[in-house]
Amino acid sequence: MPASALRATTTTSAWRRRTGVALTPMMTAVDGGKLKVGIVGATGAVGEEIVKVLGNRQFPVSELHLYASARSAGKSVPTPFGSVTIEEFELGNARGLDVIFLAVGGDFSLKYAHKLSEGDGPVVIDNSSAFRMDPDVPLVVPEINHKTAKGKKLIANPNCTTAIGLMALFPLHVAYGIKKVIMSTYQAASGAGAEGMDELKTGIASFVKGQPIKNEFFAYPLPFNVIPHIDVFQENGYTKEEMKVTWEARKILGVPDLAVSCTAVRIPTLRAHSEAIVIETEKPVTPEGAREVLGNFPGLKVVDDTSTKQYPMPLTATNHYDVEVGRIRQNIVFGDHGLELFVCGDQLLRGAALNAVIIAEML
């Protein structure tokens, strides 16, 4: 096995030359100054992670505005940028900022995203699904297609499952050409937000006490169960969550007819989504060649040594920026044009907050 198989990768100079991307904060913004930043939905799971990521990556913040419901407004919360008082959202005030992250539902985004970003308004990075398939709005995973966001004021963040999977699929597509993707996902409770994580923890506590497990946010009780149902079912028998992977992968990769099939399953873990992926490639592919390609891509960590039981897991991917990829092997159905792999990434980071912040860094 190559030495790269177990190392956490960093941005290579070759990759930077090819894409023009540097994964560091945009310190040159506003003539070397700092930025006025807002987060709508700041008390939710994704909003809280955005605050942490901004601090960890030393994003150049001059003012931080946290917007939440009237119930939370007026409360002061500690942040890496000092204590900040939560505000109710007000369009006029928010338009005076430089960058706004929307970590709320699609209805809010549909109502306010264009009003915020139009004219001299701020850049808006939307985490909802409202604009992902809008042909006029770039859907961005920065390491893959950041150039589509150039000059745009409204940018969509992908679905968490799509973002995590494409971190591994994109470099393989560049190297070998992907014809078909078959994906099965194992998605954590965090995909349903803070409420989903709370319901899982409460349900486990109820089980331990011998009490009934109640479910409100999930179709069935999640503790000690798996649920092959995320989002609403479509006419073709897939759920909307599954179709998002197909639609969004095609848009981000720029391959409108890419064959992608997904089965999405909710599992009783708190954070980090996992995905079992099978691909058929245009060119012959080997596990050794794939490990080298994946090991040189920024944001990926190859964890692939079965002799020492090293493979991706939610336990090791949680709270980490890199997406883990392993169990890399020749697929016995597609032969030398097929590969099988397993990826795991923190849904609240690479699948949401981290992706959004890196987009802002690159603008």
Side-chain angles (χ1 to χ4, degrees), residues 93-104:
N93 290 337
R95 276 184 51 81
L97 305 181
D98 298 307
V99 180
I100 289 190
F101 299 93
L102 301 184
V104 285

Side-chain angles (χ1 to χ4, degrees), residues 105-146:
D107 290 341
F108 183 96
S109 297
L110 287 170
K111 183 176 181 179
Y112 287 110
H114 282 300
K115 294 178 181 178
L116 282 164
S117 62
E118 65 185 3
D120 60 353
V123 169
V124 175
I125 300 170
D126 180 27
N127 279 276
S128 81
S129 62
F131 297 100
R132 288 175 185 160
M133 299 314 298
D134 186 323
D136 296 322
V137 177
L139 179 64
V140 176
V141 175
E143 294 87 342
I144 298 174
N145 66 336
H146 73 284

Side-chain angles (χ1 to χ4, degrees), residues 9-51:
T9 61
T10 58
T11 306
T12 64
S13 58
W15 186 84
R16 289 189 184 203
R17 288 194 300 270
R18 184 170 72 250
T19 63
V21 172
L23 301 186
T24 53
M26 50 176 183
M27 299 304 292
T28 58
V30 194
D31 297 326
K34 295 186 176 183
L35 301 170
K36 299 176 182 178
V37 177
I39 303 170
V40 182
T43 58
V46 174
E48 290 181 346
E49 289 298 327
I50 291 174
V51 174

Side-chain angles (χ1 to χ4, degrees), residues 206-226:
S206 296
F207 178 86
V208 171
K209 296 175 183 177
Q211 299 171 350
I213 301 174
K214 298 179 181 179
N215 60 293
E216 179 180 353
F217 294 96
F218 300 116
Y220 293 92
L222 187 58
F224 313 102
N225 190 25
V226 298

